[in-house]
Amino acid sequence: MPPLWLMRQAGRYLPEYRELRAEKGGFLALATDPEAAAEVTLQPIRRFRFDGSILFSDILMIPWALGQDLSFGVGEGPRLEPALVDHALDRLQPVMGRLEPVYGTVAKVAAALPPETTFLGFAGSPWTVATYMVAGKGSKDQSETRRFAYRDPEAFGAIIDAIADNTVEYLARQVGAGVDVVQLFDSWSGSLSPAQFERWVVAPTASIVERLHARCPGVPIIGFPKGAGGQASGLRARDRRRCDRAGRDGRSGLGARLAAGGHAGAGQPRSAGADRGRGGSRRGDRPDPGGVRRASARLQSRPRHPARHAHRACRAADRPRKEHDMSGFLGAAYDWVKAAHLIFVIFWMAGLFMLPRYLVYHQEALAAGNTSEAANWVERESKIRHIILTPAMIVVWVLGIALALNLGLADGAPGLGWLHLKLALVFLLTGYHGWAVGYAKKLASGKPTLAGKQLRMLNEVPALAVTLIVVLVIVKPF
């Protein structure tokens, strides 16, 4: 039997999914909780042992990260505000931290899946994502977006480019977190003329595929231009600018698929009630047995990477950052600010390691009655405070606040629990800094208040705090 997976297999036909979604209070809250989203992704695997597992998320995560507000009304489908039909793209404020929960979900699922189960990540293709960004919602014929593209192809091209650029990074991060295969969903590609299909579907998809192949060599990419018919063959060719597989929807017969690609390709079975957040099927909440049966005929082969748990990391981007490259309000300065922040963190930590040790030696000199040596320590402590410690702390705070805001801290972006705890630890270090400076002044006036053993124990506070901070920043456990 050929391999089997369902495009929306994490959908609402499962009672355990319904229960978890009700508990979370909505689709977006569910999709941005890595623990819950991972559970939803794994639920159908436990029940049915599908050969592939599809990430539980949504194609509109990229517009949300680019700065549009995303909501899912009951029975209405997704809404994006402001709609770009009357709002300039460059007025949006990207919040790249909104995508962090997705990568957390991927990591949790990759660690839990059986080794024989392929893990598929995905993103929306630029054309389909752009239709939502421009109109602010879904539509039957995408007429508003098509008119916008004809009226102002330059502005629409900028939207397509912003989506494509960020999709490369988004999918590369998914691969780095543990998916085996990625898929590009172009749900509305069937509404375009051949010329527009080439311009707004084939060209941006080719750009994404070429860059993703360069960054993540060997990772298969599936393109799914729903309703595109014979035009879908333009997405698959034997070069690095085309998808490794082109999916066909249920309206394409097996003969058409064989004629177009020489094999059945990577067909997309559809479970009727399994819609991720878009209101589900109009035929009710029952799975479509026919869709399941057709799946076995559509999937010819399953890409597989048994060494998922030793997954290769994608290479860093080989292109300059662009204005809407999910860098937040810092834009192209993001990497520079981050580098400067790290440099001054090192300076601050060096000072916090040195000053408490100076205090120990200073107190020992006072206890021994060596006033000249104690005076030397007063001078040393003053220099380290004024030259290294206090200036470095100020710069760390200024740059750190800028980076935190850039990640969406002030916007309540989800998946930043690690950042909140990190900030708490930085407050702790700042308080420790103040205590050390104050105790140095006590020693300078000859009034120590702590025993030598207590002072030495307090020396370990910076080391413990910085260890926890590094773990939080690298692992991002919550």
Side-chain angles (χ1 to χ4, degrees):
M1 177 179 174
L4 173 66
W5 65 281
L6 302 179
M7 183 170 71
R8 293 181 174 126
Q9 66 191 18
R12 63 178 59 200
Y13 67 100
L14 293 179
E16 55 265 44
Y17 166 80
R18 293 168 181 249
E19 182 180 349
L20 186 55
R21 177 163 174 167
E23 177 187 324
K24 288 295 175 182
F27 175 80
L28 193 58
L30 181 58
T32 53
D33 181 332
E35 200 74 42
E39 169 62 21
V40 171
T41 304
L42 293 167
Q43 284 172 351
I45 305 303
R46 297 193 195 105
R47 269 189 178 256
F48 308 117
R49 298 184 182 179
F50 291 122
D51 299 297
S53 178
I54 181 76
L55 172 68
F56 179 75
S57 187
D58 194 84
I59 63 171
L60 299 183
M61 300 302 284
I62 289 289
W64 192 42
L66 284 172
Q68 286 183 297
D69 291 330
L70 174 61
S71 62
F72 291 87
V74 178
E76 295 181 353
R79 294 296 180 103
L80 288 169
E81 295 180 348
L84 296 188
V85 68
D86 52 14
H87 188 93
L89 175 68
D90 57 13
R91 289 172 59 191
L92 296 178
Q93 292 294 325
V95 185
M96 69 179 187
R98 288 174 170 174
L99 297 178
E100 291 297 327
V102 177
Y103 312 135
T105 300
V106 172
K108 289 180 182 297
V109 174
L113 276 178
E116 67 274 12
T117 304
T118 299
F119 188 12
L120 296 100
F122 73 92
S125 292
W127 162 254
T128 290
V129 174
T131 65
Y132 286 96
M133 292 184 73
V134 170
K137 59 183 179 180
S139 67
K140 292 183 178 180
D141 58 5
Q142 298 77 53
S143 58
E144 191 167 27
T145 304
R146 288 189 286 113
R147 284 195 298 270
F148 182 90
Y150 278 114
R151 182 175 70 248
D152 195 342
E154 184 176 349
F156 187 70
I159 296 171
I160 291 286
D161 288 345
I163 298 167
D165 291 344
N166 289 289
T167 298
V168 173
E169 182 68 21
Y170 183 49
L171 291 177
R173 290 284 303 275
Q174 289 186 33
V175 172
V179 303
D180 303 318
V181 186
V182 295
Q183 179 151 331
L184 289 163
F185 285 96
D186 221 337
S187 305
W188 305 127
S189 63
S191 62
L192 292 170
S193 68
Q196 296 299 300
F197 183 88
E198 178 68 29
R199 182 172 187 179
W200 303 128
V201 174
V202 174
T205 300
S207 172
I208 291 171
V209 170
E210 181 176 27
R211 286 183 280 171
L212 197 57
H213 274 154
R215 289 186 60 180
C216 308
V219 174
I221 303 172
I222 301 170
F224 178 39
K226 181 182 174 184
Q231 294 183 113
S233 60
L235 290 181
R236 187 173 184 273
R238 297 185 181 276
D239 66 60
R240 65 184 305 191
R241 286 175 54 83
R242 296 295 185 264
C243 298
D244 301 287
R245 291 287 186 273
R248 298 290 176 133
D249 59 64
R251 286 171 287 185
S252 300
L254 182 60
R257 293 198 295 276
L258 289 169
H263 56 75
Q268 298 303 315
R270 180 187 182 95
S271 177
D275 196 324
R276 290 191 303 272
R278 299 234 168 90
S281 170
R282 293 180 182 175
R283 292 179 288 171
D285 289 328
R286 295 177 291 115
D288 177 9
V292 175
R293 288 195 295 270
R294 287 192 298 273
S296 61
R298 287 180 186 153
L299 282 172
Q300 179 204 30
S301 62
R302 173 180 70 230
R304 182 172 289 173
H305 295 268
R308 176 189 300 122
H309 299 294
H311 212 282
R312 59 187 172 277
C314 289
R315 289 196 285 266
D318 54 0
R319 57 180 173 78
R321 289 183 178 269
K322 294 190 177 181
E323 183 177 359
H324 288 276
D325 200 20
M326 292 195 301
S327 300
F329 69 87
L330 291 174
Y334 175 80
D335 285 336
W336 291 99
V337 173
K338 190 174 181 180
H341 177 67
L342 183 57
I343 289 168
F344 280 93
V345 165
I346 293 170
F347 290 161
W348 189 30
M349 289 303 103
L352 285 179
F353 288 140
M354 292 171 65
L355 181 58
R357 181 58 54 183
Y358 283 8
L359 299 180
V360 170
Y361 298 147
H362 188 171
Q363 186 158 307
E364 288 175 351
L366 286 175
N370 191 339
T371 55
S372 61
E373 183 63 16
N376 288 337
W377 284 115
V378 170
E379 183 180 356
R380 292 168 188 151
E381 290 159 7
S382 177
K383 285 182 178 180
I384 197 173
R385 290 201 315 268
H386 292 99
I387 297 174
I388 298 177
L389 203 58
T390 301
M393 180 193 69
I394 293 170
V395 176
V396 164
W397 267 106
V398 170
L399 299 182
I401 289 172
L403 291 169
L405 293 175
N406 192 77
L407 283 173
L409 183 67
D411 300 322
L416 296 180
W418 64 272
L419 182 57
H420 293 130
L421 182 52
K422 176 195 170 185
L423 286 172
L425 290 169
V426 175
F427 273 113
L428 173 66
L429 285 173
T430 304
Y432 181 86
H433 176 131
W435 166 82
V437 170
Y439 198 75
K441 293 178 180 178
K442 287 182 180 180
L443 293 180
S445 61
K447 299 176 182 178
T449 58
L450 295 173
K453 186 176 181 180
Q454 292 175 310
L455 198 53
R456 288 179 181 274
M457 289 179 64
L458 286 169
N459 269 223
E460 306 307 320
V461 171
L464 292 173
V466 78
T467 298
L468 290 173
I469 287 172
V470 169
V471 170
L472 288 170
V473 172
I474 300 300
V475 180
K476 296 180 177 65
F478 49 85

